[in-house]
C-alpha cells in the first residue's frame, strides 16, 4: 500500500520502507547530502539533508528518517536552508583554502555545496586543519587536512570491502581518519582498491600520481615509451571528455596517445586473451588432475592482497597467472623487445588502468625479470585524462587510429574482462574448447552478467557439471570463501573483483561514477562482444602466433617463467 | 609461557565486541599501556579489525599507547586547578619535557598524562608524579620538581 505525504504543500506518494530522501528523490526533488551513501546503512552524521517535519521540534535527517503516512515536510524552508548553509560554513572554516591547487577543483562536493547554498562570504573562521600527508602507500595519497569527516571512506572500506584499514581516530574536534596506530596506509590492511577515493567528496583522498615521471621519460630520446590500456578505459575515458557514458572512444584514444608521444600503443585486452589461455588451461589441468579447487582468479590486485592478508589458507586456490597488465608488461620486455631489437632496459612501459591497486601490483617484487620491472608506471583513467589535457589534445577533432600490432589486437573475450563476470565468461568459452575441441554454440553466459555482487551458474562441459561463482566487493568474497571453507563442493571456479561491478567501477575511474554510468559502460562492453567476429581468446590470431613463435604452449616452460607468479602471506593490521 | 595479554584474554571465553573496553582496561592495567602487539592480539581474539580497536581506544582519554616512563606525571585539569592556572602549568611541563600528554620522553624517564580531577583541590594547581603530590605548582617551581626526579637517575 502506498503512503501519501505532503511535501512543500504538494501531495506525493511514497512507498512503505522509504526514507524521506528516497521518496523525495523518486519525485525528482533533491536535498543535499554528504554522509549518505546509496545502498549502505544511513549514518545520519552530517545533518546536511535535514528537512522540517510538521509536529517535530527539531529538524529531521531525511536520509535516515522513514516516511509515515500523512507526514508534512518542508524541504527548503528558510530554517532548513539556513541550517544547511551553516554546516557548510563550519566545514569551510577549518578547510585549507587551496582549491586552485586541489586535485578535486571542479569535482569537489564541498565546493558544489558552497555554491548551491550561496555561501559567498566567510562568516566563520577557524584554525586551518593541519595534518601530515600520508604518502606511504604505492596507490593512495591521503590528505586528512581536507577531510570533512563524512565517514564514507570508512564505511566503504568496512562494509563493501571488508577491510577496515581506516577508522575515525580520537574524539571531538581532534577526530580524524587514520589507520591503526597512525601508521601509514602502506603497512595497514589497505588493499589499494581506491573505492574510498571514489566516495570521498573532497580532495582528501587521491591516487599516487605517476604523470611527472612519465613526462620525463617521454622527453628522453634514449627511451622507447610504450603504453597499454585496460579493457574498460576506451569507454570510461569518454566521460572525462564530455562524451556520453558508454561511448567507446578507443580509436580516438589511440590517436591521442600517439600525439602525446608514446612510441607504441598496445591493448591490455590482448594480454587478457593471453591470461585466458593460461588460466583456462590451468583450470582444465586442475580439474582433470585433481588439483586444488575451486580455482580462484588472480587478475585483481586488490583481491590478491586481500587474500594474502585475510585468507592465507586459500592462497593455493589462487590461479598462478599474473594479471593481464603484468603479462603484457612481461611480453613487451621479452617477445616485443626481441622482435624490435630493443634492449628491455631501454623500454619504459606505462599502463592505463581503471585501478589504483595496479600501482601497487606494478611495484611487487615478484613482477620483475632480472631486476627489470614488467611495468614501469601506471596511470588511472583520471590521470590519463589529465595527461591528454596537458598535451593540449582536442578529443573532438582527432581521427581514430588502430592500436599497434601485434599486441594491440584482441578478441572480444579479452574486452569483457572490464566488467564483473567477464573473466569468467571468457574462461568458460576457452575451457569448453580446450576440453571438447568444440566451440560453444551460445557464447553468452547470462547468469554471470550484471552488476549483482554475487552471481552463480552451473555450466555443462562434456557431461561434466562445472560450478562457477562471481563476486565483486571483497565483503562478498569473504562470505563466499567462508562457504567454501565450510564445505561447499559444488563450485570449481571463482572470479573475484574488489570493486563492485568490476573494473568499470574501479578506484581509478572518473569521479562521479554512478549506477547509470556503470550500466552504460557494461552495456557498451557487451555490445562490443555482440558485434565482434572473434569472441574467444584462443582464436585471436596474434595469440596463436605468440605461442607458435615464442611461448610454445600454455603452462609451458616460458609461460611459467614470464606469465605466472606466486603469493605471500602478509601479516598486517 | 603465556603472555600477560593471553592470560587476560583467557578470562573472557566467548567474548564478543561488548567486552572490548573491559579487555582493553585489563590490558592497560597489566602492561601500563596498550602496546601495538596487544591491540593486534585483542583484534585477533575478538575478530575485530585493529583499526576499529584503535579508533575506539583513542576515543577515550583513559587509554595510552606508549610505554609509561619511569616516573608517570599526572597533571590535574579539574576545575579548581584550572582556575588557578593549570593550563599554563601543563604548557610549561610540555615545553620542559618536550612531550605532549599521552607521550613518554625519549629517555623513557617521564611520561605525561592529563587527568580530570585528582581529588586534591586544596593543593591546586596540583600534579602527581608516581603518586607523590606536588602542590601549588608554578611555572617557576616546575624545573626544580623535575630535576629532583632526574637527579635520582644519575
Ligand atoms: S583503498 Fe580500499 S582498502 Fe584501502 S583504505 Fe581505501 S577502501 Fe580501504
Ligand atoms: S577522507 Fe573523504 S570520504 Fe573519508 S571522511 Fe574524509 S571527506 Fe569523507
Ligand atoms: S546525508 Fe543525511 S545525515 Fe548526512
Amino acid at each position: 500500500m502506498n503512503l501519501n505525504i505532503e511535501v512543500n504543500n504538494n501531495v506525493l506518494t511514497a512507498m512503505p520502507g522509504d526514507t524521506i530522501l528516497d521518496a523525495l528523490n523518486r519525485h525528482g526533488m533533491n536535498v543535499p547530502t554528504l554522509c549518505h551513501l546509496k545502498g549502505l546503512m544511513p549514518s545520519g552524521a552530517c545533518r546536511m539533508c535535514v528537512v522540517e517535519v510538521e509536529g517535530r521540534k527539531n529538524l529531521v535527517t531525511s536520509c535516515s528518517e522513514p516516511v509515515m503516512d500523512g507526514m508534512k515536510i518542508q524541504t527548503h524552508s528558510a530554517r532548513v536552508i539556513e541550517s544547511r548553509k551553516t554546516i557548510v560554513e563550519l566545514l569551510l572554516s577549518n578547510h585549507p583554502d587551496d582549491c586552485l591547487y586541489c586535485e578535486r577543483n571542479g569535482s569537489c562536493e564541498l565546493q558544489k555545496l558552497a555554491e548551491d547554498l550561496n555561501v559567498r562570504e566567510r562568516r566563520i573562521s577557524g584554525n586551518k586543519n593541519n595534518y601530515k600527508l600520508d604518502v606511504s602507500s604505492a596507490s593512495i595519497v591521503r590528505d586528512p587536512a581536507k577531510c570533512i569527516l563524512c565517514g564514507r571512506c570508512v564505511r566503504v572500506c568496512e562494509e563493501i570491502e571488508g577491510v577496515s584499514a581506516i577508522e575515525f581516530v580520537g574524539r571531538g574536534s581532534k577526530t580524524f581518519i587514520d589507520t591503526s596506530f597512525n601508521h601509514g596506509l602502506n603497512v595497514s590492511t589497505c588493499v589499494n582498491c581506491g573505492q574510498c577515493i571514489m566516495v570521498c567528496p573532497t580532495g582528501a583522498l587521491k591516487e599516487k600520481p605517476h604523470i611527472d615521471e612519465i613526462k620525463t621519460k617521454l622527453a628522453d630520446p634514449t627511451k622507447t615509451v610504450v603504453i597499454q590500456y585496460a579493457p574498460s578505459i576506451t569507454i570510461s575515458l569518454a566521460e572525462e571528455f564530455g562524451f556520453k557514458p558508454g561511448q567507446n572512444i578507443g580509436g580516438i584514444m589511440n590517436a591521442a596517445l600517439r600525439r602525446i608521444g608514446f612510441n607504441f600503443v598496445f591493448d591490455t585486452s590482448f594480454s587478457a586473451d593471453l591470461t585466458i589461455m593460461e588460466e583456462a588451461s590451468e583450470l582444465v589441468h586442475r580439474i582433470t588432475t585433481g588439483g586444488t579447487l575451486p580455482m580462484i582468479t588472480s587478475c585483481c590486485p586488490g583481491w590478491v592482497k586481500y587474500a594474502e592478508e585475510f585468507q592465507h589458507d586459500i592462497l593455493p586456490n589462487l590461479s598462478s597467472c599474473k594479471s593481464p597488465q603484468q603479462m603484457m608488461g612481461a611480453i613487451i620486455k621479452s617477445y616485443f623487445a626481441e622482435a624490435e631489437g630493443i634492449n628491455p632496459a631501454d623500454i619504459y612501459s606505462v599502463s592505463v588502468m581503471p585501478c589504483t591497486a595496479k600501482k601497487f601490483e606494478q611495484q611487487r617484487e615478484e613482477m620483475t625479470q632480472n631486476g627489470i620491472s614488467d611495468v614501469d608506471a601506471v596511470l588511472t583513467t583520471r590521470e590519463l585524462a589529465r595527461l591528454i589535457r596537458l598535451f593540449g589534445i582536442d578529443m573532438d577533432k582527432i581521427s581514430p587510429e588502430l592500436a599497434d600490432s601485434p599486441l594491440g589486437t584482441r578478441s572480444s573475450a579479452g574486452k569483457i574482462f572490464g566488467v564483473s563476470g567477464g573473466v569468467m565468461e571468457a574462461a568458460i568459452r576457452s575451457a569448453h574448447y580446450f576440453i571438447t575441441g568444440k566451440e560453444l554454440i551460445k557464447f553468452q553466459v547470462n547468469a554471470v552478467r550484471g552488476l549483482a555482487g554475487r552471481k552463480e551458474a552451473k555450466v555443462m562441459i562434456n557431461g561434466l557439471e562445472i560450478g562457477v561463482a562471481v563476486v565483486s566487493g571483497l565483503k562478498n568474497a569473504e562470505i563466499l570463501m567462508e562457504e567454501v571453507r565450510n564445505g561447499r563442493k559444488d563450485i570449481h571456479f571463482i572470479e573475484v573483483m574488489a570493486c563492485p561491478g568490476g573494473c568499470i567501477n574501479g578506484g581509478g575511474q572518473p569521479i562521479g561514477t554512478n549506477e547509470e554510468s556503470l550500466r552504460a559502460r557494461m552495456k557498451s562492453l557487451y555490445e562490443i562482444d555482440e558485434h565482434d567476429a572473434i569472441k574467444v581468446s584462443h582464436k585471436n590470431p596474434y595469440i596463436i602466433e605468440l605461442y607458435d613463435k615464442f611461448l610454445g604452449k600454455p603452462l609451458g616452460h616460458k609461460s611459467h617463467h614470464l606469465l605466472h607468479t606466486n603469493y605471500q602471506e602478509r601479516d598486517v593490521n | 609461557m603465556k603472555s600477560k595479554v593471553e592470560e587476560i584474554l583467557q578470562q573472557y571465553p566467548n567474548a564478543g565486541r561488548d567486552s572490548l573496553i573491559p579487555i582493553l582496561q585489563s590490558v592497560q592495567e597489566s602492561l601500563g599501556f596498550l602496546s601495538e602487539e596487544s591491540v593486534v592480539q585483542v583484534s585477533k581474539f575478538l575478530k575485530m579489525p585493529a583499526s576499529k580497536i584503535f579508533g575506539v581506544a583513542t576515543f577515550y582519554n583513559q587509554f595510552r599507547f606508549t610505554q609509561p616512563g619511569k616516573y608517570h606525571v599526572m597533571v590535574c585539569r579539574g576545575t579548581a586547578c584550572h582556575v588557578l592556572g593549570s593550563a599554563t602549568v601543563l604548557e610549561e611541563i610540555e615545553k620542559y619535557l618536550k612531550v605532549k600528554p599521552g607521550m613518554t620522553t625519549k629517555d623513557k624517564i617521564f611520561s605525561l598524562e592529563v587527568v580530570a580531577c585528582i581529588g586534591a583541590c586544596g593543593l591546586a594547581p596540583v600534579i602527581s608524579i608516581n603518586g607523590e603530590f606536588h602542590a601549588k605548582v608554578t611555572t617557576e617551581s616546575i624545573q626544580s620538581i623535575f630535576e629532583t626526579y632526574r637527579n635520582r637517575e644519575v
Side-chain angles (χ1 to χ4, degrees):
Chain A
M1 221 217 25
N2 280 349
L3 312 172
N4 284 327
I5 56 173
E6 203 181 297
V7 181
N8 306 339
N9 307 323
N10 300 306
V11 177
L12 303 176
T13 53
M15 309 222 249
D18 272 357
T19 61
I20 298 178
L21 185 68
D22 294 331
L24 293 175
N25 287 167
R26 196 168 313 109
H27 290 284
M29 309 181 71
N30 289 332
V31 296
T33 59
L34 206 47
C35 65
H36 177 68
L37 268 182
K38 221 176 151 192
L40 297 191
M41 289 293 285
S43 78
C46 75
R47 299 198 57 81
M48 185 60 66
C49 64
V50 287
V51 294
E52 218 168 331
V53 174
E54 198 178 281
R56 297 277 287 267
K57 203 163 114 251
N58 294 328
L59 297 180
V60 164
T61 49
S62 62
C63 72
S64 56
E65 186 78 17
V67 285
M68 298 217 276
D69 200 34
M71 226 178 204
K72 293 195 171 121
I73 298 162
Q74 292 291 331
T75 61
H76 287 82
S77 66
R79 186 179 165 210
V80 164
I81 289 178
E82 195 48 36
S83 162
R84 289 180 195 149
K85 188 169 172 185
T86 308
I87 294 171
V88 173
E89 289 178 300
L90 281 168
L91 290 174
L92 288 173
S93 69
N94 59 4
H95 200 76
D97 281 325
D98 63 353
C99 296
L100 280 175
Y101 301 93
C102 183
E103 184 100 353
R104 293 289 297 273
N105 191 17
S107 68
C108 170
E109 286 180 40
L110 186 58
Q111 272 182 347
K112 181 163 189 312
L113 284 170
E115 158 97 27
D116 290 354
L117 288 160
N118 201 24
V119 176
R120 280 298 167 256
E121 61 182 333
R122 186 182 293 282
R123 279 200 304 154
I124 313 167
S125 42
N127 286 338
K128 296 292 166 213
N129 284 336
N130 187 8
Y131 294 104
K132 269 201 303 218
L133 274 181
D134 178 1
V135 294
S136 64
S137 157
S139 299
I140 316 262
V141 177
R142 297 190 320 119
D143 185 357
K146 288 186 180 161
C147 171
I148 56 176
L149 298 174
C150 69
R152 292 191 205 165
C153 55
V154 173
R155 283 153 66 209
V156 159
C157 191
E158 176 176 4
E159 294 176 40
I160 304 290
E161 301 303 343
V163 172
S164 288
I166 43 180
E167 190 39 74
F168 286 94
V169 166
R171 80 190 287 176
S173 64
K174 294 209 178 77
T175 308
F176 69 120
I177 308 283
D178 209 349
T179 52
S180 51
F181 286 92
N182 315 111
H183 293 325
L185 210 52
N186 62 332
V187 290
S188 74
T189 47
C190 172
V191 302
N192 307 301
C193 69
Q195 285 301 306
C196 52
I197 299 179
M198 299 303 281
V199 296
C200 182
T202 72
L205 293 164
K206 59 178 184 186
E207 68 271 77
K208 171 73 64 79
H210 283 188
I211 287 191
D212 283 345
E213 205 190 318
I214 292 172
K215 258 173 23 198
T216 316
K217 291 297 189 295
L218 281 167
D220 181 347
T222 66
K223 294 282 174 205
T224 301
V225 188
V226 306
I227 192 162
Q228 57 165 311
Y229 50 78
S232 66
I233 307 291
T234 64
I235 293 161
S236 57
L237 184 71
E239 289 158 54
E240 285 278 352
F241 291 96
F243 297 99
K244 66 173 198 312
Q247 191 165 338
N248 184 8
I249 59 164
I252 298 173
M253 187 177 87
N254 289 334
L257 293 172
R258 290 208 182 91
R259 299 295 170 282
I260 290 170
F262 290 100
N263 302 109
F264 292 90
V265 178
F266 298 136
D267 186 345
T268 314
S269 305
F270 169 87
S271 51
D273 282 335
L274 184 57
T275 305
I276 287 301
M277 294 299 287
E278 296 290 326
E279 197 161 351
S281 307
E282 187 183 351
L283 177 66
V284 172
H285 180 77
R286 288 192 190 215
I287 290 178
T288 50
T289 61
T292 311
L293 290 171
M295 188 172 93
I296 312 175
T297 57
S298 57
C299 39
C300 169
W303 154 244
V304 168
K305 182 162 187 260
Y306 178 89
E308 291 177 321
E309 292 170 358
F310 298 103
Q311 313 271 348
H312 302 167
D313 55 329
I314 55 99
L315 288 178
N317 297 62
L318 253 61
S319 159
S320 62
C321 289
K322 287 185 184 175
S323 72
Q325 158 175 285
Q326 297 304 141
M327 285 202 182
M328 180 64 101
I331 291 295
I332 287 172
K333 290 195 182 176
S334 56
Y335 176 64
F336 168 79
E338 227 174 277
E340 295 287 323
I342 311 171
N343 179 351
D346 291 332
I347 296 179
Y348 188 75
S349 181
V350 180
S351 70
V352 189
M353 294 285 137
C355 178
T356 44
K358 290 280 168 193
K359 289 179 189 263
F360 168 81
E361 180 183 51
Q362 168 252 320
Q363 293 183 7
R364 291 179 66 117
E365 54 181 27
E366 298 90 348
M367 303 298 166
T368 54
Q369 297 300 327
N370 313 320
I372 299 177
S373 307
D374 292 345
V375 174
D376 297 293
V378 178
L379 294 173
T380 60
T381 319
R382 300 185 289 266
E383 285 177 285
L384 174 60
R386 239 168 271 148
L387 191 69
I388 291 174
R389 286 191 204 104
L390 185 67
F391 278 78
I393 290 158
D394 186 341
M395 299 289 272
D396 287 321
K397 296 242 169 69
I398 50 175
S399 321
E401 294 175 10
L402 289 174
D404 284 298
S405 185
L407 309 184
T409 312
R410 54 155 185 82
S411 79
S412 67
K415 190 71 178 171
I416 56 174
F417 261 58
V419 55
S420 157
V423 179
M424 176 60 70
E425 202 172 322
I428 291 173
R429 292 178 193 178
S430 286
H432 183 276
Y433 178 78
F434 292 156
I435 294 175
T436 64
K438 286 198 254 1
E439 299 295 347
L440 280 166
I441 299 165
K442 181 171 174 281
F443 287 108
Q444 295 88 337
V445 186
N446 286 323
V448 298
R449 293 190 176 190
L451 295 177
R454 149 100 78 128
K455 295 164 280 188
E456 289 191 25
K458 300 273 181 269
V459 198
M460 291 299 284
I461 302 183
N462 239 10
L464 191 69
E465 187 181 78
I466 305 212
V468 301
V470 173
V471 284
S472 62
L474 294 174
K475 189 80 203 174
N476 290 324
E478 182 191 330
I479 296 168
L480 179 61
M481 294 312 143
E482 206 45 44
E483 290 173 19
V484 170
R485 213 168 270 127
N486 289 337
R488 264 194 84 169
K489 291 267 181 292
D490 60 324
I491 310 177
H492 303 92
F493 189 30
I494 299 175
E495 176 202 297
V496 183
M497 298 288 162
C499 297
C503 309
I504 50 171
N505 193 22
Q509 294 286 31
I511 298 294
T513 294
N514 55 28
E515 203 182 317
E516 205 185 327
S517 48
L518 285 184
R519 289 201 182 283
R521 292 173 200 167
M522 173 172 70
K523 187 159 165 262
S524 183
L525 283 172
Y526 285 128
E527 268 167 18
I528 292 172
D529 183 46
E530 202 60 47
H531 295 131
D532 272 18
I534 303 178
K535 294 192 192 347
V536 290
S537 303
H538 54 270
K539 286 272 161 66
N540 178 339
Y542 292 100
I543 288 285
I544 297 171
E545 186 180 287
L546 175 65
Y547 278 103
D548 280 352
K549 281 197 188 157
F550 184 69
L551 287 173
K553 59 178 196 319
L555 307 182
H557 178 69
K558 244 187 180 142
S559 292
H560 178 75
H561 184 61
L562 288 170
L563 309 180
H564 290 257
T565 185
N566 47 57
Y567 310 103
Q568 39 173 304
E569 270 186 34
R570 286 173 198 270
D571 201 9
V572 286
N573 46 71
Chain B
M1 248 246 333
K2 280 214 167 61
S3 75
K4 287 182 184 172
V5 180
E6 279 168 345
E7 273 170 26
I8 292 168
L9 294 178
Q10 231 175 19
Q11 294 157 22
Y12 292 86
N14 315 316
R17 291 186 171 203
D18 47 343
S19 309
L20 176 63
I21 301 283
I23 290 179
L24 292 181
Q25 281 168 333
S26 316
V27 171
Q28 169 141 320
E29 205 164 290
S30 150
L31 304 182
F33 72 119
L34 299 179
S35 67
E36 280 188 46
E37 234 186 332
S38 68
V39 168
V40 173
Q41 272 172 289
V42 176
S43 133
K44 295 213 166 103
F45 181 71
L46 292 179
K47 296 200 174 44
M48 193 177 164
S51 63
K52 289 245 157 302
I53 298 183
F54 186 63
V56 170
T58 52
F59 186 81
Y60 297 99
N61 276 331
Q62 55 173 298
F63 295 114
R64 43 182 301 126
F65 303 93
T66 46
Q67 184 142 30
K70 175 140 195 220
Y71 299 105
H72 189 58
V73 184
M74 295 204 270
V75 178
C76 179
R77 290 286 285 125
T79 317
C81 289
H82 177 73
V83 172
L84 291 171
S86 61
T88 330
V89 168
L90 177 61
E91 213 174 288
E92 277 305 310
I93 296 180
E94 286 178 7
K95 258 195 249 160
Y96 179 79
L97 295 178
K98 300 199 182 67
V99 291
K100 292 268 175 214
M103 289 163 58
T104 302
T105 55
K106 272 221 182 77
D107 56 13
K108 304 223 164 35
I109 295 184
F110 296 106
S111 49
L112 184 57
E113 185 185 341
V114 169
V115 290
C117 181
I118 288 187
C121 304
L123 309 178
V126 61
I127 67 174
S128 124
I129 302 183
N130 280 9
E132 297 172 10
F133 284 7
H134 297 266
K136 304 199 192 310
V137 180
T138 62
T139 43
E140 290 74 36
S141 68
I142 287 172
Q143 190 167 348
S144 67
I145 295 174
F146 282 96
E147 262 163 20
T148 329
Y149 287 92
R150 193 153 270 159
N151 288 339
R152 291 188 200 166
E153 290 309 299
V154 285

